[in-house]
């Protein structure tokens, strides 16, 4: 196992585009939930799952920084009881700009966290309100300054394009302000309207003025160009960094490697099984407190499925898929399994062979979903 994902499902505000497992913070059993995650970690170890030698821990949500300083401190103490935090290559947390106080930053730093992933999304105040965010552009700038003051150097911010009513000029302004912060890492995602979200309901009512596909493609192009001009290399379709500062935890997902999922609704991939935990917090806690692991669903990944995942996840990365690694992992040549599909995609100009690797072309990056679909039965 290379990584561990820990889910904090609490939010003080639900964003209009979010479909992750989350609840409003108020009146929730937050302290009890934190203790339950400690019990889950113990149950996993009793099941023979070793946390020795893991490379990364990632706190996601929800919003980990919705927790108080005391709650964050307790959570980090529990993690330290099970994981040798000092040996981690990367210990990340997601954060909201208006919740990440100097006090919380110090608690995180003292608890071993060494990377921040901050949900900025936009530097346009009006747009932030439209999408249900509660922070201001000034909050985003302030929190980066505070984080550096406390000693954080590995800082990333998330940005979203293709938002309702978003103009080319607004997106360009956000990109300029983002790179003026001179951070080592940026993530830029196109808006996906998911079921059970505010935006999904508005879209069904015809009240969500989204940019068209052409404008979205242009915004993606702007993102790539702007990051390249500012020395941030595109190492994955939506992620850009200075050399050597890629997200190790996210690369574990794209490299189709193993990780534990801890907490309500968390997903994991261990010993050939993909699993998901019980989502509702009360039911999750009830299961753990009864001495049982809170697994809702388990799927044994077949060899064919694992091969498919190796391709459509690996091709997301700029370095692409290694033919020699594929052979070592599956005992079969890449061309033996996918030769005709690869030849077709090469002829279409969507992928290319570079040495022993298969990669998306520049055109393929823009048509990634079309490429990935070719590897799914």
């Amino acid at each position: 196992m290379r990584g561990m994902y820990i889910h904090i499902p609490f939010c003080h505000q639900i964003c209009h585009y979010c479909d992750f497992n989350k609840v409003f913070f108020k009146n929730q059993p937050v302290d009890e939930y934190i203790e339950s995650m400690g019990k889950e970690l113990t149950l996993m170890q009793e099941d023979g799952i070793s946390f020795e030698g893991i490379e990364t821990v990632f706190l996601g949500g929800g919003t980990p920084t919705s927790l108080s300083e005391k709650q964050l401190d307790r959570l980090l103490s529990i993690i330290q009881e099970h994981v040798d935090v000092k040996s981690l290559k990367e210990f990340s947390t997601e954060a909201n700009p208006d919740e990440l106080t100097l006090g919380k930053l110090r608690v995180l730093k003292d608890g071993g966290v060494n990377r921040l992933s901050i949900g900025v999304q936009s530097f346009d105040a009006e747009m932030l309100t439209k999408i249900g965010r509660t922070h201001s552009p000034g909050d985003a700038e302030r929190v980066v300054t505070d984080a550096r003051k406390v000693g954080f150097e590995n800082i990333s911010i998330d940005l979203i394009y293709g938002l309702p009513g978003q103009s080319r000029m607004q997106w360009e302004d956000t990109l300029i302000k983002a790179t003026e912060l001179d951070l080592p890492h940026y993530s830029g995602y196109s808006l996906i309207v998911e079921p059970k979200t505010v935006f999904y309901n508005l879209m069904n009512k015809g009240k969500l003025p989204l940019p068209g596909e052409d404008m979205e493609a242009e915004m993606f192009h702007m993102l790539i160009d702007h990051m390249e001009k500012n020395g941030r290399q595109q190492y994955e379709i939506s992620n850009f960094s200075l050399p050597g500062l890629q997200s190790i935890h996210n690369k574990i997902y794209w490299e189709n490697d193993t990780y534990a999922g801890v907490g309500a609704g968390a997903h994991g991939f261990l010993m050939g099984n993909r699993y998901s935990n019980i989502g509702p917090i009360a039911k999750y806690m009830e299961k753990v407190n009864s001495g049982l692991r809170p697994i809702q669903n388990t799927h044994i990944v077949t060899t064919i499925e694992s091969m498919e995942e190796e391709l459509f996840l690996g091709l997301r990365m700029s370095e692409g898929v290694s033919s020699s690694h594929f052979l070592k992992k599956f005992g079969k040549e890449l061309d033996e399994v996918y030769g005709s599909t690869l030849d077709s995609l090469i002829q279409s100009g969507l992928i290319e062979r570079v040495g022993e690797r298969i990669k998306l072309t520049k055109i393929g990056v823009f048509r990634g979903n079309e490429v990935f679909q070719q590897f799914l039965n």
Side-chain angles (χ1 to χ4, degrees):
M1 179 173 71
R2 289 182 60 195
M4 179 185 293
Y5 172 81
I6 297 177
H7 191 70
I8 311 298
F10 308 110
C11 294
H12 289 296
Q13 168 69 21
I14 304 297
C15 301
H16 298 345
Y17 52 82
C18 180
D19 73 328
F20 293 117
N21 187 43
K22 78 282 180 186
V23 293
F24 279 110
F25 190 95
K26 192 175 180 181
N27 299 323
Q28 293 295 331
V30 181
D31 296 317
E32 295 88 342
Y33 176 78
I34 292 170
E35 299 302 323
S36 293
M37 287 196 295
K39 292 174 185 175
E40 184 185 359
L41 288 167
T42 298
L43 289 168
M44 292 176 79
Q45 289 175 308
E46 289 174 353
D47 245 5
I49 297 170
S50 172
F51 301 148
E52 286 187 21
I54 68 169
E55 299 174 30
T56 70
V57 171
F58 190 99
L59 307 180
T63 318
T65 51
S66 65
L67 304 182
S68 68
E69 289 178 32
K70 184 178 178 182
Q71 290 164 340
L72 274 174
D73 187 59
R74 178 58 185 147
L75 171 62
L76 295 170
S77 295
I78 287 172
I79 294 169
Q80 289 167 359
E81 290 169 11
H82 297 272
V83 176
D84 182 6
V85 170
K86 291 180 180 176
S87 71
L88 293 173
K89 292 181 181 178
E90 182 182 278
F91 190 170
S92 300
T93 185
E94 292 179 344
N96 277 351
D98 53 340
E99 294 175 347
L100 200 49
T101 62
L102 266 172
K104 290 182 184 181
L105 282 163
R106 291 191 181 102
V107 169
L108 291 167
K109 187 70 175 167
D110 291 344
V113 175
N114 58 20
R115 183 178 185 273
L116 301 174
S117 179
I118 305 171
V120 173
Q121 319 312 0
S122 174
F123 281 90
D124 184 278
E126 185 181 345
M127 186 59 64
L128 287 170
T129 302
K130 276 185 183 178
I131 65 177
R133 302 293 284 174
T134 54
H135 72 269
S136 68
D139 288 327
E141 293 163 2
R142 184 267 311 162
V143 80
V144 168
T145 300
D146 286 351
R148 284 171 167 156
K149 214 179 281 183
V150 170
F152 283 101
E153 296 176 2
N154 197 353
I155 304 170
S156 176
I157 60 174
D158 290 352
L159 304 171
I160 302 180
Y161 61 93
L163 293 168
Q166 187 179 35
S167 68
R168 186 186 190 282
M169 190 177 297
Q170 284 173 315
W171 178 232
E172 183 177 28
D173 183 62
T174 280
L175 290 172
I176 291 169
K177 287 177 177 172
T179 48
E180 281 175 349
L181 293 174
D182 195 25
L183 301 175
H185 191 284
Y186 296 88
S187 299
Y189 303 102
S190 64
L191 175 69
I192 298 175
V193 181
E194 301 282 6
K196 299 180 182 178
T197 62
V198 172
F199 277 171
Y200 185 79
N201 293 334
L202 288 173
M203 184 177 70
N204 284 342
K205 294 175 183 176
K207 295 180 179 179
L208 195 70
L210 296 172
E213 286 184 13
D214 290 346
M215 175 60 78
E216 190 174 305
E218 185 180 352
M219 287 177 170
F220 184 36
H221 207 292
M222 289 166 64
L223 170 68
I224 295 171
D225 285 351
H226 191 81
M227 290 297 162
E228 190 176 297
K229 286 174 186 173
N230 284 275
R232 272 64 183 177
Q233 299 172 352
Q234 184 182 24
Y235 70 94
E236 190 270 344
I237 285 179
S238 303
N239 287 271
F240 306 80
S241 77
L242 292 173
L245 287 165
Q246 303 169 349
S247 168
I248 300 171
H249 186 83
N250 286 342
K251 283 191 74 178
I252 289 172
Y253 299 150
W254 301 320
E255 289 170 358
N256 198 21
D257 221 326
T258 52
Y259 60 95
V262 181
H267 292 244
F269 180 34
L270 296 173
M271 296 176 285
N273 295 320
R274 292 200 182 274
Y275 69 90
S276 60
N277 278 351
I278 295 168
I281 293 168
K283 291 184 178 180
Y284 163 84
M285 291 170 56
E286 181 183 348
K287 192 81 168 181
V288 170
N289 292 334
S290 69
L292 297 171
R293 286 182 63 194
I295 296 176
Q296 177 85 52
N297 296 302
T298 301
H299 174 71
I300 300 172
V301 180
T302 66
T303 301
I304 289 295
E305 288 171 333
S306 188
M307 287 177 177
E308 292 172 351
E309 290 170 353
E310 195 78 13
L311 269 294
F312 72 72
L313 289 171
L315 283 170
R316 291 191 63 88
M317 295 185 291
S318 298
E319 63 186 20
V321 175
S322 162
S323 297
S324 60
H325 179 74
F326 188 93
L327 175 60
K328 184 179 178 181
K329 188 170 183 177
F330 300 108
K332 290 188 176 183
E333 296 282 357
L334 183 57
D335 281 296
E336 180 187 344
V337 184
Y338 292 114
S340 60
T341 301
L342 295 174
D343 288 343
S344 175
L345 288 168
I346 289 169
Q347 285 185 342
S348 301
L350 300 179
I351 65 171
E352 59 185 343
R353 295 183 190 270
V354 181
E356 58 101 29
R357 289 185 171 273
I358 301 293
K359 303 182 181 184
L360 292 177
T361 62
K362 286 186 176 180
I363 297 172
V365 169
F366 283 81
R367 294 167 59 185
N369 289 337
E370 183 181 331
V371 174
F372 308 147
Q373 192 66 37
Q374 300 305 307
F375 298 100
L376 294 174
N377 286 328

